[in-house]
Amino acid sequence: MPECIVVPVGQCGNQIAARFWDLALQEQSLTHSPSTSNSNSKLADAALNTFFTTSNKRHLKGLRARALMIDMEEGVINQVMQSPVRTLFEGSQIISSNSGSGNNWAVGYSIYGQEFESQISESLRQQAEQCDNLQSFFQITSLGGGTGSGLGSKVGELLADEYPRVYRFATAVCPSANDDVVTSPYNTILSLWKLIQNADCVLPVENQALIDICEKVALGTKKYHGHGMDDGDGFSRASRGNPSVIDSGKKPYGGLCSVSGAVRKKLPFDEMNNIVANLIINTTSSMRFEGTMNVDINDIVTNLVPFPNRKFLISSMTPLFSPADVNIPSRRLDQMFTDAFSKDCQLIKADPKSSTYLACALMVRGDVNVSDIRRNVDRARSWLKFVNWNQDGWKTGLCSVPPIGQTHSLLTLANNACIHESLGKMRTRFMKLYKRKANLHHYLNYMEKEDFQSALESVQSLIKEYQTS
């Protein structure tokens, strides 16, 4: 069974990772339930091995996460280490400081990158040596701040240099247009520059898209298809106490943390962070659990990244709300496929149906017939536009284990030309500052001015590549 190492960098990355470990433990606890048969137990052990090591797989003793937490401020990591999930980590899996990067990419990249490079490299080596079949790194960062963007860029370089044959996935949270960090446009473009160079696959997520999704769910302004009026956008009206896909409401940490009376405390941005955590959970479901059509990490890169630079995949998930009646009849499966291509379910602010697909993966979980998937793919061909050289650019995965609290779900990963619109907006915000040289001196103390031009040219080249797709 292939193994993955999770590398969150910065406050945002570590907050998302904390929610990821909770969800991963919950899924694992169900497959290791007392009713699990001996044959299924072996499959559960294999699934556990993807993200965890343990001294006793059957009884889940001594669980350790395959991870390295990095942050130059102690706040979030201290929060994690004061929670029940602290039992998943040893001291060698934590690299932190207490002064922060001051929302400056150059400080994170040049100062902390140089200071902690050897320690990060050694910690990554220790984690890699515990793997028999290391297949991928999942880096989780935000592009708007200083540590996640700058030090995250340095970590990406280290991974590319030292593990060139291991797939490198980056989940990158992009700031919204009204972000309160004045230097975030610089940090974003500089980070994108390094992602283009060093990542194998990038899963961009926009803060504004997450905010809009959470607001729709919280306000209950939309009804879920099949529960009253069908608005066909994947959202539902529900009672305040009803759990959503962003928080399963199940036993905290699946009861697998060796801390008596473990309680999950609600933290700021949990709703938004859980959406991103679920993106990683569902992306890796086929490599962790059995299914009719498994999609491995290498399948995603091979099938969805036709050119080296065009590796930014637009993601969507549906349903985005788990209704009180989780027994969703299969007849609503068609609507779920329709919702997945709606702009309301995308994790960036874009409408992929209005642009051209280079390739698309459909990753289904639950008790779903292959024939239903094929029928919906055939239906989607009539209203989705694919490039003429890849008209059959579909990759389909079917994992038999559904998400917690649902009977089935769908994650789409699409390489779509509409990403150029989001990249273009980031470039525009960058140019507003760069033309006036605003705040530039804060960066030039640690880096060359030519690097700004190189970063801008790299992003502009990527935008043109997608525009001409």
Side-chain angles (χ1 to χ4, degrees), residues 180-395:
D180 58 0
V181 176
V182 68
T183 54
S184 68
Y186 286 156
N187 299 334
T188 301
I189 294 299
L190 291 165
S191 299
L192 288 172
W193 172 40
K194 293 300 181 179
L195 285 172
I196 293 169
Q197 290 179 347
N198 300 311
D200 289 312
C201 189
V202 182
L203 304 177
V205 177
E206 288 187 19
N207 259 332
Q208 192 57 53
L210 299 179
I211 292 170
D212 292 347
I213 288 171
C214 290
E215 285 181 350
K216 287 181 180 179
V217 171
L219 295 175
T221 55
K222 299 289 185 179
K223 294 183 178 180
Y224 188 84
H225 53 78
H227 288 255
M229 186 181 298
D230 183 358
D231 287 338
D233 61 1
F235 296 96
S236 70
R237 181 187 303 277
S239 62
R240 290 182 180 271
N242 198 36
S244 74
V245 69
I246 57 177
D247 189 347
S248 70
K250 299 293 183 181
K251 191 174 182 180
Y253 312 107
L256 298 185
C257 289
S258 55
V259 176
S260 59
V263 177
R264 180 198 300 119
K265 294 182 180 179
K266 183 175 176 60
L267 299 171
F269 307 111
D270 265 359
E271 289 82 2
M272 295 169 63
N273 292 333
N274 272 299
I275 295 175
V276 186
N278 267 285
L279 168 61
I280 303 173
I281 286 285
N282 291 327
T283 299
T284 59
S285 61
S286 277
M287 65 184 294
R288 291 182 291 128
F289 303 113
E290 64 176 344
T292 307
M293 297 183 291
N294 282 348
V295 175
D296 217 336
I297 289 297
N298 61 318
D299 293 326
I300 294 176
V301 177
T302 302
N303 289 274
L304 299 187
V305 183
F307 303 102
N309 289 347
R310 280 178 264 186
K311 53 193 170 189
F312 288 72
L313 305 185
I314 299 173
S315 54
S316 72
M317 292 186 293
T318 182
L320 282 165
F321 207 44
S322 178
D325 175 17
V326 296
N327 296 312
I328 307 173
S330 58
R331 64 183 176 83
R332 295 179 192 153
L333 186 66
D334 290 4
Q335 185 62 53
M336 188 175 73
F337 274 82
T338 301
D339 294 341
F341 296 99
S342 164
K343 62 182 180 180
D344 294 308
C345 291
Q346 309 302 315
L347 300 192
I348 70 167
K349 298 296 291 181
D351 184 6
K353 288 194 295 185
S354 66
S355 194
T356 303
Y357 283 82
L358 279 70
C360 183
L362 304 173
M363 306 182 73
V364 185
R365 300 186 64 180
D367 185 15
V368 178
N369 292 325
V370 175
S371 59
D372 287 330
I373 298 176
R374 289 173 177 164
R375 174 169 49 78
N376 276 282
V377 169
D378 290 340
R379 186 168 62 93
R381 291 179 191 273
S382 63
W383 39 271
L384 296 181
K385 179 184 177 183
F386 275 72
V387 289
N388 56 15
W389 46 264
N390 197 23
Q391 289 291 305
D392 295 317
W394 297 88
K395 181 63 180 178

Side-chain angles (χ1 to χ4, degrees), residues 2-5 127-128 131-137 163 165-166:
E3 296 129 345
C4 298
I5 297 175
Q127 289 299 305
C131 300
D132 296 322
N133 182 24
L134 177 58
Q135 190 175 67
S136 60
F137 290 97
Y163 304 92
R165 296 185 179 181
V166 180

Side-chain angles (χ1 to χ4, degrees), residues 73-110:
E73 292 182 6
E74 297 176 322
V76 174
I77 287 184
N78 284 345
Q79 232 172 33
V80 173
M81 296 309 292
Q82 291 169 9
S83 73
V85 80
R86 67 181 180 271
T87 61
L88 298 177
F89 305 100
E90 297 177 335
S92 61
Q93 295 176 270
I94 301 170
I95 296 177
S96 66
S97 183
N98 54 18
S99 54
S101 300
N103 294 320
N104 188 325
W105 182 92
V107 171
Y109 180 82
S110 300

Side-chain angles (χ1 to χ4, degrees), residues 1-6 21 25 28 32 44-67 87-90 92-93 126-134 256:
M1 178 67 70
E3 296 129 345
C4 298
I5 297 175
V6 180
W21 295 117
L25 288 171
Q28 204 60 54
H32 274 87
D45 290 345
L48 179 75
N49 194 56
T50 301
F51 288 117
F52 301 95
T53 63
T54 178
S55 57
N56 188 327
K57 291 182 179 179
R58 186 56 182 155
H59 299 287
L60 300 180
K61 301 296 184 182
L63 271 182
R64 291 290 183 270
R66 300 189 189 277
T87 61
L88 298 177
F89 305 100
E90 297 177 335
S92 61
Q93 295 176 270
Q126 292 177 13
Q127 289 299 305
E129 285 183 349
Q130 296 181 43
C131 300
D132 296 322
N133 182 24
L134 177 58
L256 298 185

